[in-house]
């Protein structure tokens, strides 16, 4: 699988107001490396506020990186991307109520990017619009509807069709099904997986729902407080999670046959620490059930095991009993 | 148990009832029609001086004649023309300027936006009417200075309204999606952000029209508006001052016209506010809101 998107040491800072005149910078994404192979569906999971969305926005070009870079097909993209480059990575948003212009009908929404890029000759725009709608499972009936006349699932399909109109190579889906109810979400997930098959799309699928990620994705990356703590093929990560945080996330998924018990099963205590005060050493250590002294002193090393990478001082060591 | 009356349920009563609005719309339409067709309707040249001075209303001169023997009805019709046209520009130009400034500042943010807020705060603290008069006084009377004065003082409110709305709309996902699809920032702003941010300004424009009409009439009354001799309602009232006791028709008809036009526009502005504001107010506007206001955003 050839590499299509490569994120190298990406840092995204935000200015925040701290006090009356002082401004501080918050590091939402801290030196992240990530690779997306062509035609791969990559899951990105983590708690709210861990920087998933910021990473997504930086990859599509909506959030300017403070350091590091994004490479597309081996070519670094400039900070201000020209339209032709923006076209290649498209985004699907979480809120179907906000992703479509309320004053445009579905066909107007789809025709605009077609016209902008002259993807098809002017007289074929209508035809192409119908084709796109068909591709996402909508029909003539929805073509002249306004967004408010559509259901959430239908709007999300229109948003996908609009992204497909410019023939992108990468689709970044930021919690794209989180706002939909289960059956509709399932249909949209099937659509994404189907589009990957038919169009060879690469998808970065951001979610906090591990069950969904497991069903859809090839590889998964787990984020905690602006960094990736574990990364690897979905099957391996779910079978043998190497990072204690991943294990906590997996245990938080309700299931009939709970795999683990004891300290880990209790779930995570406390709120994720604020990115304004990043703990020293391993970022997870204040909440980690396995934390030892050195976790708070030095950055965790990278540990590899067939295709799976973990950043932890005690990767894959959850066998020992930890009395608290 | 107390009787529950259905009236108690409707907490908000319409500000202008149905027939008032219909009447207002009818009167305004009539005024516009009269203004447009003034050259055809007017029985005489509004500037034609005759020796039939200060005639009371009669068959020959339906609304009488003024001190210079000019036909009052003809002058009234042409004055409608002047006032309505000036009103459109005196309200429209500030809106145009304010919309452009507010939209760019709100969309770009940063220093530009901070500067706009600063300027807007200063303007907010100034007495508009006093400044308006001072402005026209400095620039010299005439339609051009009238419009300049209205624009310089009026754009701030629109800039403020638009800026706030643009900043709200800018955060919507379809805005960044349009940018990603390849549209330039300018195209995104004018095609997707601005159309969705205009509603409140349009409502304000309707109210502002009435203010502009009064402003023009008042300034002309003080001799600071249109050039002397131009048929204009405020100027007509002003010219009639000397004859207020003896020749009532000179001041009464143009004065009445100002009152009727002003209140019609105010009533219609109210109605527009209900329709575009998206709030279901009262029976009538609720029904209309479904047709027009409903075209607006579905808040997720």
């Amino acid at each position: 699988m050839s590499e299509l998107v490569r994120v190298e040491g990406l840092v995204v800072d935000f200015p925040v107001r701290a006090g009356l005149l002082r401004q501080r910078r918050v590091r939402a994404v801290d030196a992240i490396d990530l690779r997306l192979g062509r035609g791969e569906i990559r899951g990105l999971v983590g708690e709210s506020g861990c920087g998933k969305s910021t990473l997504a926005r930086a990859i599509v070009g909506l959030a300017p990186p403070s350091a590091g870079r994004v490479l597309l097909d081996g070519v670094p993209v400039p900070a201000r991307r020209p339209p032709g480059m923006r076209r290649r990575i498209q985004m699907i948003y979480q809120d179907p109520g906000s992703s479509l212009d309320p004053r445009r009908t579905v066909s107007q929404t789809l025709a605009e990017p077609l016209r902008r890029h002259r993807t098809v000759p002017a007289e074929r725009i209508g035809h192409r619009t119908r084709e796109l709608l068909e591709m996402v499972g909508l029909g003539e009936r929805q073509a002249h509807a306004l967004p408010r006349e559509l259901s959430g699932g239908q709007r999300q399909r229109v948003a996908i069709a609009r992204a497909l109109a410019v023939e992108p190579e990468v689709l970044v889906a930021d919690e794209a099904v989180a706002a939909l109810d289960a059956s509709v979400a399932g249909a949209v997930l099937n659509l994404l997986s189907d589009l990957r098959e038919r169009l060879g799309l690469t998808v970065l699928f951001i979610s906090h729902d591990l069950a969904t990620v497991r069903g859809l994705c090839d590889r998964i990356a787990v984020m905690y407080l602006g960094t990736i703590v574990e990364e690897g093929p979905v099957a391996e990560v779910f079978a043998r999670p190497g990072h204690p945080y991943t294990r906590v996330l997996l245990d938080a998924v309700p299931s009939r046959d709970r795999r683990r018990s004891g300290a880990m099963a209790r779930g995570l205590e406390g709120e994720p620490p604020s990115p304004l005060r990043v703990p020293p050493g391993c970022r997870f250590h204040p909440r980690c059930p396995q934390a030892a002294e050195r976790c708070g002193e030095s950055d965790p090393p990278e540990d590899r095991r067939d295709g799976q990478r973990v950043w932890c001082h005690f990767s894959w060591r959850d066998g020992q009993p930890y009395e608290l | 148990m107390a009787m529950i009356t259905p009236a108690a349920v409707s907490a908000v009563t319409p500000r202008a009832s149905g027939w008032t609005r219909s009447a207002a719309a009818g009167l305004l339409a009539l005024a516009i029609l009269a203004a447009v067709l003034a050259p055809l309707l007017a029985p005489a040249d509004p500037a034609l001086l005759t020796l039939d001075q200060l005639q009371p209303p009669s068959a020959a001169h339906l609304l009488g004649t003024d001190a210079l023997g000019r036909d009052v009805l003809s002058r009234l019709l042409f004055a409608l023309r002047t006032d309505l046209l000036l009103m459109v520009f005196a309200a429209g130009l500030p809106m145009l300027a304010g919309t452009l400034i507010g939209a760019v500042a709100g969309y770009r943010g940063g220093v530009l936006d901070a500067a706009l807020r600063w300027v807007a705060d200063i303007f907010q603290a100034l007495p508009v009417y006093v400044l308006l008069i001072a402005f026209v006084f400095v620039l010299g009377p005439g339609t051009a200075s009238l419009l300049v004065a209205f624009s310089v003082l009026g754009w701030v409110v629109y800039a403020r309204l638009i800026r706030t709305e643009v900043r709200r709309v800018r955060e919507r996902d379809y805005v960044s999606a349009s940018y990603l699809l390849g549209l330039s920032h300018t195209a995104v702003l004018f095609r997707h952000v601005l159309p969705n941010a205009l509603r409140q300004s349009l409502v304000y424009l309707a109210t502002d029209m009435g203010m502009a009409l009064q402003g023009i009439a008042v300034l002309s009354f003080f001799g600071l508006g249109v050039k002397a001799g131009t048929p204009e309602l405020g100027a007509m009232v002003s010219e009639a001052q000397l004859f207020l006791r003896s020749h009532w028709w000179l001041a009464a008809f143009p004065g009445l016209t100002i009152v009727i036009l002003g209140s019609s526009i105010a009533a219609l502005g109210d109605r527009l506010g209900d329709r575009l504001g998206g709030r279901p107010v009262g029976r009538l506007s609720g029904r209309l809101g479904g047709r027009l206001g409903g075209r607006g955003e579905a808040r997720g």
Side-chain angles (χ1 to χ4, degrees):
Chain A
M1 214 185 286
S2 67
E3 181 183 290
L4 181 59
V5 178
R6 179 172 183 168
V7 175
E8 278 183 355
L10 196 74
V11 177
V12 183
D13 289 337
F14 286 117
V16 287
R17 188 168 290 175
L20 195 60
L21 288 170
R22 279 184 320 131
Q23 255 200 1
R24 279 200 56 186
R25 296 187 77 76
V26 150
R27 190 148 286 191
V29 167
D30 195 358
I32 279 190
D33 294 300
L34 187 69
R35 291 162 187 210
L36 266 72
R38 201 178 281 279
E40 162 183 280
I41 300 188
R42 158 76 77 158
L44 183 64
V45 298
E47 286 166 303
S48 336
C50 72
K52 299 179 303 234
S53 291
T54 307
L55 177 61
R57 291 175 66 82
I59 290 175
V60 298
L62 289 175
S66 314
R69 54 184 189 167
V70 177
L71 289 89
L72 193 54
D73 244 346
V75 182
V77 298
R80 285 187 69 96
R81 299 184 197 186
M85 201 163 249
R86 295 205 290 271
R87 179 193 69 82
R88 298 174 66 184
I89 309 182
Q90 289 298 315
M91 189 146 163
I92 311 292
Y93 299 86
Q94 172 175 7
D95 178 10
S98 146
S99 61
L100 301 176
D101 188 333
R103 306 178 67 90
R104 302 287 179 95
T105 65
V106 169
S107 57
Q108 283 170 335
T109 294
L110 296 181
E112 186 175 52
L114 293 175
R115 225 172 270 133
R116 173 68 186 82
H117 291 284
R118 298 198 175 78
T119 334
V120 292
E123 66 274 11
R124 304 216 356 117
I125 284 178
H127 177 76
R128 179 68 182 150
T129 305
R130 279 191 293 280
E131 236 173 47
L132 285 167
L133 280 178
E134 209 173 292
M135 213 182 275
V136 296
L138 294 176
E140 196 65 32
R141 271 183 55 222
Q142 283 89 24
H144 300 290
L146 286 168
R148 67 185 164 88
E149 296 160 351
L150 301 174
S151 69
Q154 286 173 326
R155 285 184 209 167
Q156 210 62 319
R157 284 162 187 270
V158 174
I160 294 173
R162 177 182 60 188
L164 295 177
V166 296
E167 290 161 20
E169 290 152 76
V170 186
L171 221 50
V172 175
D174 186 7
E175 300 276 11
V177 298
L180 307 176
D181 55 49
S183 62
V184 182
V188 172
L189 292 175
N190 285 339
L191 173 64
L192 282 178
S193 140
D194 177 50
L195 289 172
R196 189 262 297 260
E197 296 298 324
R198 275 161 59 194
L199 307 173
L201 272 181
T202 305
V203 181
L204 178 63
F205 185 81
I206 299 173
S207 180
H208 59 264
D209 178 7
L210 284 123
T212 312
V213 170
R214 183 178 208 168
L216 180 74
C217 302
D218 308 310
R219 290 177 75 85
I220 182 174
V222 182
M223 264 184 92
Y224 184 79
L225 206 58
T227 55
I228 288 178
V229 295
E230 176 158 6
E231 187 266 328
V234 161
E236 262 101 287
V237 173
F238 273 77
R240 302 182 281 111
H243 198 283
Y245 180 61
T246 315
R247 285 196 288 276
V248 171
L249 282 184
L250 288 176
D251 284 338
V253 179
S255 79
R256 272 178 303 162
D257 38 44
R258 190 161 282 293
R259 283 181 304 274
R260 262 161 285 271
S261 57
M264 301 302 281
R266 267 185 247 142
L268 216 44
E269 276 162 27
E271 292 290 305
S274 155
L276 277 167
R277 281 184 310 276
V278 173
C282 172
R283 288 159 187 243
F284 186 53
H285 86 266
R287 297 166 80 199
C288 182
Q290 281 168 270
E293 209 164 299
R294 70 172 138 144
C295 294
E297 287 160 1
S298 60
D299 285 349
E302 181 185 328
D303 205 350
R304 284 168 186 264
R305 197 182 280 184
D306 32 70
Q308 200 177 344
R309 294 190 295 164
V310 176
W311 287 263
C312 177
H313 290 287
F314 302 100
S315 8
W316 288 289
R317 267 178 265 165
D318 62 330
Q320 307 98 314
Y322 286 94
E323 295 305 326
L324 297 171
Chain B
M1 280 293 277
M3 288 263 287
I4 298 167
T5 54
V9 179
S10 68
V12 193
T13 48
R15 279 170 287 175
S17 62
W19 73 267
T20 321
R21 289 168 173 173
S22 312
L27 284 170
L28 190 63
L30 206 68
I32 292 170
L33 203 70
V36 172
L37 299 177
L40 297 174
L41 292 174
D45 182 341
L48 183 70
L49 309 176
T50 64
L51 291 174
D52 298 337
Q53 289 153 347
L54 298 170
Q55 296 288 310
S58 66
H61 301 286
L62 282 175
L63 299 183
T65 60
D66 67 4
L68 298 174
R70 295 174 297 195
D71 183 52
V72 173
L73 176 61
S74 307
R75 288 190 70 72
L76 194 67
L77 287 170
F78 277 90
L80 272 179
R81 237 179 189 213
T82 318
D83 277 284
L84 288 176
L85 201 67
L86 273 179
M87 174 187 90
V88 167
F89 281 101
L93 286 179
M95 171 160 183
L96 196 69
T99 301
L100 282 177
I101 296 170
V104 172
Y107 188 73
R108 295 281 301 276
V111 184
L112 214 58
D113 190 39
L116 171 66
R117 264 177 15 225
W118 192 69
V119 172
D121 282 343
I122 291 176
F123 267 82
Q124 207 85 11
L126 300 175
V128 173
Y129 248 97
V130 175
L131 271 183
L132 197 62
I133 292 168
F135 240 106
V136 178
F137 196 76
V138 169
L139 293 171
T143 45
S145 49
L146 203 66
L147 294 182
V148 169
F150 269 101
S151 303
V152 167
L153 294 169
W155 68 273
V156 183
V157 183
Y158 292 101
R160 224 172 219 239
L161 283 173
I162 287 281
R163 173 202 164 262
T164 315
E165 283 296 288
V166 161
R167 286 181 70 81
R168 181 181 66 81
V169 174
R170 196 183 59 163
E171 297 309 317
R172 307 233 115 205
D173 292 335
Y174 58 80
V175 174
S176 65
S178 308
Y179 176 70
L180 288 183
L181 287 166
L183 266 67
S184 66
H185 277 305
T186 318
V188 173
L189 174 57
F190 285 102
R191 301 177 67 160
H192 293 284
V193 179
L194 204 50
N196 286 300
L198 273 178
R199 231 189 289 173
Q200 287 197 331
S201 304
L202 287 176
V203 173
Y204 185 77
L205 178 69
T207 328
D208 204 28
M209 289 260 193
M211 299 283 285
L213 181 84
Q214 287 169 32
I216 293 160
V218 166
L219 285 174
S220 300
F221 179 84
F222 288 128
L224 293 170
V226 294
K227 207 169 66 201
T230 316
E232 199 281 337
L233 296 170
M236 285 173 77
V237 175
S238 173
E239 287 160 15
Q241 273 185 104
L242 287 173
F243 313 99
L244 210 53
R245 281 165 185 275
S246 50
H247 306 85
W248 57 273
W249 60 90
L250 287 179
F253 292 117
L256 214 59
T257 312
I258 295 174
V259 171
I260 291 173
L261 263 186
S263 32
S264 300
I265 292 167
L268 286 177
D270 235 29
R271 171 176 176 171
L272 190 72
D274 294 345
R275 283 167 74 173
L276 292 175
R279 300 160 280 143
V281 184
R283 296 154 290 124
L284 185 78
S285 58
R287 200 147 35 85
L288 289 161
R291 269 217 319 267
L292 202 98
R295 279 225 142 204
E297 257 161 284
R299 302 256 163 94

